[in-house]
Amino acid sequence: MTWLTPLTGLILAAAVIPPLVLLYFLKLRRRTQKIACTILWQRSIEDLQANAPFQKLRRNILLLLQLLALILLALSVMQPQVRAGDLTGGKTIFLIDHSASMNATDTADGRPRLEHAKDLLRERIEARYSRGLLGGDPGESMIIAFSDRAEIVARFTSSRQQLLRAVDRIQPTHGETKIEQALELARAYTTNIVDEMGEARPTGEPADLELYSDGQIADLNRQVLRGETLIYHAFGSDAPDNVAIAAMSVERPFARPTFIEVFASLVNFNENPVTCDVQVSVDGTALGIRTIEIPAGRFDEAADLFIPGRNNVVFAPFEQPRGAVIEVANLRSDDLGLDNVAQLSIPPAKRLEVALVAPKSFVIRSALEGMPLERLDVLTARQFDELVEHQQTDRYDVIVLDSHVPETMPNGRYLVFGDAPPVDGLNAYGEGGRQLILNVRDEHPAMRYVDLNNLIIQSFTALQPDDDVRILAEGSAGPAIVAVDRSGLNMIYVTNDVLDSNWPMLTSFITFVFNAVEHLGHIGESLVSESLRPGEALTARLPAGAQDIELTLPTGRSERLTPPDPTQMSWGPIRLTGPHVLSWTDAARGERETRAHAVNLFSETEGNLRVVEELSFGEDRIAGRRAGDGRYTALWPYALLLCLMLLMIEWWVYHRKMTI
Amino acid sequence: MSQFGVPTETPPRRVDELISSELMAKLNQVDVFSKKIFAGKLQGERRSKKRGQSVEFADYRHYTHGDDLRFVDWNIFARLDKLFIKMFLEEEDLSLVIAIDSSKSMHWGNPSKFIYAQKLAMALGYIGLVNQNRVSLFSFNSGGLLPLTNLRGGRRVQEMGAWLLKLEAEGGSGFDDAMRSISMTRQGKGVMLILSDFLFKEGYEKGLRYLAGGGYDTFCMQLLSPEEIDPGAAGLQGDLRLTDIEDDDVAEVTVSGALLKKYKDNLNAYCGKLREFCVRRGMMHMTIDSKTDLNVLLMDYLRKRGLLR
């Protein structure tokens, strides 16, 4: 039994009953009765008072009746209810919300809302199907679980076991709450008439719907009830605590293409400001923490909307030339953990297509062949000139010129060895003699980890470069390596022929070629990192020969995929947030490759954990029953009726007593 | 609808309302009996333990100086030459004293204890008068003692009746003073009847002690009304403020089974204590319900108890 307004009833009882008893004690309304002598009565009272301090109240039927009537009145004010079970029979469809917000742990025992909803649903099923022989036909039930999409967990059945097993199968998702599909499914099983207006109408008695949700339903304003009765069980506390990462982006600064910059937007759904530590990490390794303050959310009365507080955080750019999973985490713990983490996957470094023009030796070619390139074409000088002539140099990401000097240098990205290319600003003026390297600008990506101390150059092209030409390595007799970065033209020029030095014998040569080709190949490449959301499909263009394709879910579970066409692969719907890692074996190269896809919640509907107490389906307003409420039978009318009967008996007894 | 305990019967206004002629006829057959034979001022119609002048021979004894020579048995003197005095059982009159409690509490109950006492006193007095006993009546209350003494003979019946009719129940009991006065003004010995409810707040012990050992054959006739004997059966219930009609003393009660039982226990204990007190001092005690038929009381109960024969 539960009480709706216990406090009111207790206050009433406390206000009325003690005064009644007190009145009986202090000033019992007594009739005066003259008698011959009070001597014997006095003795009797003294005897009884000695025996029982409450003798005045004992067997005082009037007081007893009045007390009983008052107690019943107080009880009826407390509005007692008993769980009546499902008395209707017929068809019932249980709609259970297993969206992201149902993962919130703002419950008394810290378990997720969904677990409470499942507990109540189990109770309801038990109550409905455990009524014994006299319970009558309990009817059939169906269970639909819904988040961003709906699925039937149990079809119409009257088997308690089947229904309970179906409830056990319901798993939390990280999707948004959309009820439309669930209602459509429910109606599909209960309606089969389409009227002249094109509206589906229920046949016979429409099913009873029972909704187990927190009421944060994104598409609620588009829904109406079509004659169904709906009971809404609301789950969650009145003042949940949640700060969510609402958006995140990763960009590469134009000037420093190997760097990335991380932005995140945080929203505060609480009614007080909060301070959060926000951490950024790369492939699971924390790189930095920023502390930000987020203003309180407020309720806009005019719009009838809760507007959360919002603040952004920008992390200092850091170098990340390779592909990685960037994660931003709000370290403040709250009631919903899954929107405290957002991830973005930077695509892996693009495989470059490189052309080597007129190699004089195998040295450069060997270095290039050791790189993970998409394609390496060795062109003759003639072929290259034809490309220039047809303006097709952009077919290659990087073109390596080994002492070949074209007539013009079209826009593109070049690594040039030996003779000076026809580029303004280099100002070659002859040939230099033997020189050593004195200074290296190792902050340039191409010069990273390139040790030129042991390099001895026999001859080189002497330059008098303009100011916009950056000298990356300064030799004892002139610039050894220069970089030209102009609009459309990026070039690194090594002033000597590699064979005129001992460089091929040094490891720094391989490092340099690798750095320079990677740097030139990725210049201007914008970082496109898309975030998926639960409910969407994961699509990927894998190489045509991809084999053994596996998808590793955020839970760590792997799923083997066999798409008919790997170049147009798709998987879905996505259920969980977190990194979804695709891995495959490239048949051409025989290597195992991976690609991470980030899935983030980024939903303010789900982040707002406030329980909606009343759902509006068009004109229908459905008040929510708090978790634990069931279908109850009110007992107060019975208590009141009993109270009235007692008052009548009391009246009758009073008149009998007054008649001597 | 009558109120609890308030007498509904009209007080008697004529002597024949006090005693009916049928009852008088029946009472002519009975006499007041005393287990002792008392010496009286005049020769009455009963034997005395004293040997004396009578027609009924009792014994002889030796003549001693001063004896009345009229009682010498000269025949024996002739034969034995000794003087013997003939002794006869002497017949003496009986002094019957009736004390009526005329406190206000007596006029309560249905039937009223006071009216019942008036009628009983009339009947007993009548018996005394017609049997040539010396009858004295006393009415007592807190206002004092109202006597009517030394009546004898049937012609005084009207006078006694008129006196009884004039009595009114009022005031407190005044029992102690009344008993002291009666014992002091006592003349000779006799039977004393006290008609009262004996419910005295000051107690009955002191008053009765005045009478103990005074030569009276005392009968305490405790008159109680049905309302006093069983208030529950008589209809007493509810939450009541019981007020004493004599002194306005108040007892607030909620009538319950337990209380009524306790009341009855107390009443029995009270009466038992009175009876024990009386027996210890050679007095008789009897409790009389005021609804008891006077005929039955006089012709049956009192005969069985030895007051009448």
Side-chain angles (χ1 to χ4, degrees):
Chain A
M1 185 184 292
T2 55
W3 310 86
L4 284 188
T5 48
L7 198 63
T8 318
L10 286 176
I11 290 170
L12 179 75
V16 176
I17 291 176
L20 176 72
V21 178
L22 210 63
L23 278 177
Y24 263 80
F25 265 122
L26 296 179
K27 193 63 191 172
L28 210 57
R29 192 178 168 80
R30 297 176 188 278
R31 281 179 302 119
T32 298
Q33 175 65 58
K34 291 206 178 272
I35 57 165
C37 186
T38 53
I39 180 169
L40 293 173
W41 291 106
Q42 295 280 18
R43 289 185 189 180
S44 305
I45 296 167
E46 284 163 13
D47 288 349
L48 274 187
Q49 279 173 341
N51 291 340
F54 289 96
Q55 68 89 23
K56 284 182 179 176
L57 298 181
R58 227 161 68 174
R59 300 198 187 177
N60 190 329
I61 184 76
L62 280 178
L63 175 62
L64 263 177
L65 289 171
Q66 285 167 8
L67 274 178
L68 264 176
L70 279 182
I71 288 169
L72 281 172
L73 194 67
L75 286 180
S76 64
V77 169
M78 287 159 85
Q79 299 193 59
Q81 296 182 326
V82 286
R83 195 165 289 200
D86 295 271
L87 301 173
T88 54
K91 291 190 169 184
T92 301
I93 299 175
F94 298 106
L95 306 172
I96 184 164
D97 174 4
H98 63 152
S99 65
S101 58
M102 290 296 277
N103 289 282
T105 53
D106 58 335
T107 53
D109 56 3
R111 292 191 306 145
R113 292 173 176 180
L114 180 64
E115 290 304 315
H116 285 268
K118 283 164 75 175
D119 285 350
L120 180 62
L121 180 50
R122 284 191 196 99
E123 269 181 46
R124 305 280 291 141
I125 291 168
E126 292 280 3
R128 187 172 173 146
Y129 293 101
S130 309
R131 291 186 297 174
L133 288 174
L134 300 177
D137 175 23
E140 292 186 315
S141 302
M142 175 167 152
I143 304 174
I144 297 175
F146 70 99
S147 54
D148 43 55
R149 57 185 60 213
E151 57 179 317
I152 295 171
V153 188
R155 289 177 190 283
F156 273 121
T157 176
S158 55
S159 160
R160 183 169 64 100
Q161 285 304 323
Q162 269 188 32
L163 290 166
L164 290 178
R165 277 199 297 271
V167 175
D168 292 340
R169 282 200 301 274
I170 297 170
Q171 293 298 318
T173 68
H174 296 173
E176 256 195 328
T177 316
K178 289 178 182 167
I179 200 172
E180 182 168 10
Q181 218 177 44
L183 288 176
E184 280 174 2
L185 264 179
R187 282 169 190 146
Y189 279 83
T190 53
T191 61
N192 59 2
I193 294 178
V194 178
D195 64 12
E196 59 275 10
M197 300 297 288
E199 292 271 312
R201 292 287 175 204
T203 55
E205 284 293 308
D208 292 326
L209 302 182
E210 283 199 20
L211 175 61
Y212 296 74
S213 174
D214 51 21
Q216 290 291 355
I217 300 173
D219 59 348
L220 184 66
N221 53 2
R222 297 200 299 270
Q223 310 305 321
V224 288
L225 290 179
R226 296 179 186 162
E228 299 101 337
T229 58
L230 187 133
I231 296 168
Y232 163 42
H233 299 279
F235 294 88
S237 66
D238 295 324
D241 174 16
N242 192 32
V243 176
I245 298 174
M248 171 188 174
S249 70
V250 178
E251 287 179 8
R252 286 193 190 278
F254 180 77
R256 292 187 287 179
T258 57
F259 279 63
I260 59 170
E261 212 167 9
V262 179
F263 306 89
S265 172
L266 280 85
V267 288
N268 175 17
F269 294 98
N270 301 327
E271 285 175 354
N272 47 324
V274 295
T275 306
C276 296
D277 288 335
V278 187
Q279 173 186 280
V280 65
S281 50
V282 176
D283 286 337
T285 306
L287 288 187
I289 290 183
R290 287 281 308 277
T291 301
I292 60 163
E293 191 154 309
I294 313 174
R298 62 185 174 80
F299 195 82
D300 189 335
E301 298 286 348
D304 195 24
L305 267 179
F306 183 80
I307 299 169
R310 195 177 293 271
N311 201 354
N312 298 320
V313 59
V314 182
F315 290 93
F318 55 90
E319 188 169 15
Q320 182 60 42
R322 311 289 301 168
V325 174
I326 312 295
E327 181 183 284
V328 172
N330 164 23
L331 300 183
R332 180 181 178 277
S333 64
D334 54 29
D335 290 331
L336 186 62
L338 61 96
D339 61 5
N340 289 347
V341 178
Q343 291 159 329
L344 279 182
S345 172
I346 305 174
K350 192 178 110 183
R351 288 181 169 278
L352 301 174
E353 298 183 12
V354 177
L356 176 60
V357 180
K360 290 168 71 175
S361 66
F362 67 95
V363 176
I364 298 174
R365 181 175 178 162
S366 300
L368 291 174
E369 280 174 350
M371 288 182 66
L373 301 176
E374 184 69 28
R375 187 151 59 98
L376 175 66
D377 291 343
V378 181
L379 307 179
T380 61
R382 187 182 185 81
Q383 285 171 320
F384 177 68
D385 291 339
E386 280 175 8
L387 281 180
V388 173
E389 194 178 325
H390 295 103
Q391 296 182 341
Q392 289 176 340
T393 51
D394 60 349
R395 280 166 53 180
Y396 296 96
D397 295 314
V398 181
I399 296 170
V400 182
L401 298 176
D402 188 4
S403 300
H404 173 70
V405 181
E407 287 182 10
T408 56
M409 283 290 274
N411 284 348
R413 286 163 283 185
Y414 301 92
L415 174 62
V416 182
F417 293 92
D419 298 334
V423 172
D424 294 342
L426 290 179
N427 306 325
Y429 62 90
E431 193 168 300
R434 179 190 173 98
Q435 71 166 348
L436 300 174
I437 303 302
L438 299 179
N439 184 28
V440 174
R441 299 282 294 274
D442 56 4
E443 75 274 13
H444 192 275
M447 303 311 291
R448 191 74 44 88
Y449 311 119
V450 176
D451 178 10
L452 300 179
N453 285 338
N454 299 323
L455 177 62
I456 303 166
I457 298 167
Q458 290 298 327
S459 65
F460 66 97
T461 305
L463 301 179
Q464 191 67 51
D466 288 351
D467 290 344
D468 65 337
V469 176
R470 291 166 70 193
I471 298 170
L472 301 182
E474 181 76 54
S476 51
I481 306 171
V482 296
V484 178
D485 290 304
R486 292 181 186 146
S487 174
L489 175 72
N490 302 95
M491 182 180 76
I492 293 175
Y493 171 44
V494 180
T495 56
N496 62 294
D497 184 342
V498 287
L499 295 178
D500 287 341
S501 69
N502 64 343
W503 210 11
M505 317 297 286
L506 302 176
T507 53
S508 59
F509 175 68
I510 306 293
T511 313
F512 170 76
V513 171
F514 185 92
N515 280 351
V517 170
E518 282 288 310
H519 167 65
L520 291 168
H522 291 112
I523 284 178
E525 191 175 84
S526 62
L527 190 65
V528 181
S529 54
E530 285 181 3
S531 167
L532 297 166
R533 291 173 63 176
E536 293 177 350
L538 190 159
T539 57
R541 295 170 66 95
L542 300 185
Q547 293 174 342
D548 299 336
I549 305 168
E550 266 191 358
L551 177 68
T552 306
L553 299 176
T555 55
R557 195 166 59 84
S558 287
E559 204 171 295
R560 182 168 285 275
L561 308 179
T562 51
D565 179 7
T567 58
Q568 290 182 342
M569 195 221 82
S570 72
W571 177 87
I574 298 169
R575 288 282 170 203
L576 303 173
T577 57
H580 289 58
V581 181
L582 266 178
S583 59
W584 69 93
T585 304
D586 193 331
R589 283 199 288 268
E591 291 174 5
R592 192 79 185 155
E593 307 216 10
T594 58
R595 186 186 298 170
H597 296 262
V599 180
N600 294 303
L601 185 59
F602 292 158
S603 164
E604 292 194 16
T605 312
E606 294 303 310
N608 187 359
L609 298 182
R610 243 152 250 283
V611 179
V612 180
E613 299 289 354
E614 192 180 65
L615 294 182
S616 299
F617 287 88
E619 292 299 309
D620 296 322
R621 290 183 180 274
I622 312 289
R625 296 176 180 182
R626 297 299 291 186
D629 291 1
R631 189 171 292 180
Y632 288 96
T633 302
L635 292 183
W636 68 265
Y638 302 101
L640 206 60
L641 197 68
L642 210 58
C643 170
L644 285 175
M645 285 169 65
L646 275 176
L647 284 178
M648 287 174 69
I649 294 171
E650 193 264 348
W651 180 79
W652 179 75
V653 170
Y654 175 78
H655 276 267
R656 288 251 321 176
K657 288 188 89 164
M658 290 301 107
T659 309
I660 293 178
Chain B
M1 187 157 296
S2 66
Q3 274 200 308
F4 181 77
V6 176
T8 51
E9 62 185 313
T10 322
R13 297 182 190 284
R14 299 197 308 272
V15 177
D16 57 358
E17 286 174 4
L18 281 177
I19 185 163
S20 64
S21 50
E22 294 81 11
L23 183 61
M24 285 164 80
K26 286 182 187 169
L27 294 180
N28 286 334
Q29 311 296 319
V30 297
D31 189 5
V32 178
F33 174 76
S34 173
K35 288 176 182 168
K36 307 164 186 175
I37 296 174
F38 296 98
K41 289 271 177 76
L42 299 169
Q43 281 188 334
E45 288 189 334
R46 66 197 64 243
R47 276 178 286 191
S48 166
K49 280 187 178 175
K50 287 164 73 176
R51 305 290 186 262
Q53 297 168 338
S54 173
V55 291
E56 200 168 344
F57 172 74
D59 203 355
Y60 292 102
R61 68 170 171 81
H62 289 286
Y63 173 79
T64 56
H65 182 71
D67 278 343
D68 194 341
L69 289 173
R70 285 179 295 171
F71 299 113
V72 173
D73 191 332
W74 295 110
N75 293 329
I76 289 177
F77 178 72
R79 280 192 278 140
L80 299 175
D81 198 19
K82 285 182 181 172
L83 287 173
F84 279 93
I85 297 292
K86 280 200 285 190
M87 296 177 70
F88 299 91
L89 285 176
E90 190 174 45
E91 288 187 344
E92 293 180 314
D93 65 333
L94 180 88
S95 179
L96 177 64
V97 179
I98 302 173
I100 304 166
D101 179 358
S102 58
S103 65
K104 199 171 179 184
S105 68
M106 284 293 285
H107 190 51
W108 194 80
N110 266 311
S112 161
K113 292 181 286 182
F114 186 65
I115 296 171
Y116 196 83
Q118 282 176 305
K119 289 179 178 176
L120 184 57
M122 183 68 201
L124 291 169
Y126 177 78
I127 295 169
L129 287 177
V130 296
N131 288 294
Q132 298 300 317
N133 295 317
R134 188 151 43 87
V135 176
S136 297
L137 290 101
F138 295 93
S139 159
F140 63 90
N141 56 26
S142 56
L145 193 66
L146 185 65
L148 178 67
T149 54
N150 296 326
L151 304 179
R152 186 191 292 270
R155 65 180 183 281
R156 307 296 293 272
V157 169
Q158 284 298 323
E159 187 185 344
M160 183 178 70
W163 184 84
L164 282 171
L165 288 174
K166 281 195 293 181
L167 294 182
E168 276 186 22
E170 57 191 7
S173 68
F175 182 67
D176 294 349
D177 294 341
M179 292 305 111
R180 195 181 71 226
S181 302
I182 291 170
S183 66
M184 284 168 67
T185 56
R186 177 174 64 87
Q187 296 171 324
K189 297 181 177 179
V191 173
M192 178 158 182
L193 304 170
I194 305 170
L195 308 183
S196 172
D197 51 15
F198 288 94
L199 298 172
F200 308 132
K201 291 225 169 77
E202 64 274 18
Y204 49 77
E205 292 87 350
K206 191 178 171 189
L208 287 180
R209 278 196 195 102
Y210 288 120
L211 305 176
Y216 277 130
D217 206 359
T218 308
F219 273 79
C220 295
M221 307 183 90
Q222 188 181 14
L223 297 175
L224 294 173
S225 67
E227 288 85 351
E228 285 165 327
I229 293 169
D230 191 352
L236 186 72
Q237 57 181 341
D239 305 313
L240 300 171
R241 184 186 171 85
L242 301 177
T243 311
D244 194 314
I245 55 174
E246 284 183 9
D247 57 6
D248 290 336
D249 190 16
V250 166
E252 292 196 334
V253 297
T254 299
V255 180
S256 64
L259 183 69
L260 288 174
K261 183 176 180 304
K262 189 56 76 180
Y263 172 84
K264 280 187 199 170
D265 291 347
N266 277 331
L267 179 65
N268 289 337
Y270 190 87
C271 296
K273 208 169 158 190
L274 174 61
R275 182 178 296 112
E276 191 189 330
F277 186 89
C278 293
V279 168
R280 281 179 184 278
R281 287 158 182 78
M283 302 177 189
M284 297 282 284
H285 166 264
M286 63 189 304
T287 307
I288 300 167
D289 189 341
S290 68
K291 75 177 177 200
T292 311
D293 186 7
L294 211 51
N295 272 326
V296 178
L297 176 71
L298 292 165
M299 307 308 290
D300 190 4
Y301 296 168
L302 292 184
R303 276 185 159 181
K304 284 180 183 165
R305 295 297 300 269
L307 178 64
L308 301 177
R309 64 173 180 181

